[in-house]
């Protein structure tokens, strides 16, 4: 059975002291025999610190971003190989904050995916509609268009290594979660779209939900048949909330 993925995206938060407290708590409640895989995506500068804490535990390391080039004059950037040096397994790509605040194009996102897969890391591709698109009833069309645009560049063989995170932009950091039905509706469309392209390639595809996930809504969301885990921002910075989500998910899918 594929593991439920719970990915903590710390975004630009944390400090050496705060991370240490959070990681100690995570080490206490996480369990390598669990049905869920817990992944921490810290800011790059804290990657070494996180690696030192999680070594030997079931917790995995992820990155929030990567550059699409191998090496060279790219001031401030980090390569796939550098992430690999820290045993990083996952990397977020196409997060709406990067698309909107840093103008990340589809081509760059696709190039990052190609580079990550070649380097043996799993890209976590974020897709999702904004509020106006949701209100116009365009959510399903937007997510399939986002998928199609990336697949056209990277190809199906590369795309089979990708984890998808559906993150409706209107639900990110707003406290407004998609209802379990709204999320399931879109997750089902994503799975059907990909299985129509190639059922064999995509039968084990993981589709995560992200957007104001917390200890109160995680239980209902994870019961949905097409929701395979979470990408969590704010609640992943609070040990008690993360513990409650992690343990709750495990009991639902056990
Ligand atoms: P919040 O959980 O804070 O809404 O953030 C979601 C997100 O963007 C995770 O990548």
């Amino acid at each position: 059975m594929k593991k439920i993925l719970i990915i903590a995206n710390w975004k630009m938060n944390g400090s050496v002291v705060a991370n240490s407290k959070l990681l100690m708590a995570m080490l206490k409640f996480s369990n390598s025999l669990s049905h869920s895989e817990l992944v921490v995506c810290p800011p790059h500068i804290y990657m070494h610190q996180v690696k030192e804490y999680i070594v030997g535990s079931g917790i995995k390391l992820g990155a929030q971003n990567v550059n699409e080039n191998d090496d060279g004059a790219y001031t401030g950037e980090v390569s796939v190989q550098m992430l690999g040096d820290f045993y990083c397994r996952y990397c977020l790509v196409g997060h709406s904050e990067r698309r909107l605040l840093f103008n990340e194009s589809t081509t760059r996102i696709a190039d990052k995916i190609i580079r990550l897969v070649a380097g043996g890391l799993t890209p976590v591709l974020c897709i999702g509609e904004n509020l106006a698109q949701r209100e116009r009833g365009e959510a399903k069309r937007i997510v399939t268009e986002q998928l199609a645009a990336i697949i056209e560049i990277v190809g199906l063989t590369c795309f089979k290594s990708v984890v998808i995170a559906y993150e409706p932009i209107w639900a990110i950091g707003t406290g407004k979660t998609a209802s379990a039905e709204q999320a399931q509706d879109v997750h089902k469309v994503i799975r059907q779209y990909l299985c129509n392209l190639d059922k064999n390639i995509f039968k084990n595809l993981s589709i995560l939900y992200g957007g104001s996930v917390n200890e109160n809504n995680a239980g209902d969301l994870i019961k949905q048949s097409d929701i395979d885990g979470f990408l969590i921002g704010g609640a992943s910075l609070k040990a008690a909330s993360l513990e409650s989500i992690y343990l709750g998910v495990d009991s639902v899918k056990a």
Side-chain angles (χ1 to χ4, degrees), residues 17 31 34 43 89 93 146-147 152 157 160 192 211-212 253:
V17 173
N31 166 0
S34 133
R89 305 280 183 89
V93 285
Q146 287 171 333
L147 291 172
E152 195 183 334
T157 310
K160 76 174 178 210
Q192 275 172 351
S212 297
K253 295 280 179 178

Side-chain angles (χ1 to χ4, degrees), residues 65-137:
N65 187 29
V66 71
N67 187 274
E68 64 276 26
N69 295 288
D70 275 342
D71 51 31
Y74 302 101
T75 302
E77 294 290 272
V78 162
S79 71
V80 169
Q81 197 206 317
M82 292 170 190
L83 297 182
D85 275 349
F86 288 86
Y87 304 99
C88 190
R89 305 280 183 89
Y90 297 87
C91 181
L92 308 183
V93 285
H95 194 286
S96 58
E97 286 153 14
R98 295 217 58 89
R99 291 183 197 248
L100 296 169
L101 304 174
F102 302 98
N103 294 322
E104 264 189 29
S105 66
T106 299
T107 313
R108 275 197 83 187
I109 295 165
D111 287 346
K112 289 178 187 206
I113 290 176
I114 293 169
R115 205 57 70 142
L116 284 163
V117 172
L121 276 80
T122 302
V124 180
L125 170 64
C126 306
I127 55 175
E129 80 286 358
N130 64 30
L131 185 59
Q133 292 162 335
R134 158 72 47 183
E135 285 173 350
R136 289 198 296 267

Side-chain angles (χ1 to χ4, degrees), residues 9 11 92 95-97 126 167 171-175 210-213 231-235:
N9 177 8
K11 306 194 180 184
L92 308 183
H95 194 286
S96 58
E97 286 153 14
C126 306
E167 295 209 310
I172 296 179
T174 57
S212 297
V213 173
L231 178 54
I232 311 173

Side-chain angles (χ1 to χ4, degrees), residues 25-50:
M26 288 170 70
L27 286 170
K28 271 201 197 130
F29 69 70
S30 69
N31 166 0
S32 53
L33 299 177
S34 133
H35 295 91
S36 319
E37 176 145 295
L38 192 52
V39 180
V40 184
C41 300
H44 285 145
I45 198 158
Y46 296 128
M47 208 155 256
H48 178 72
Q49 184 193 12
V50 174

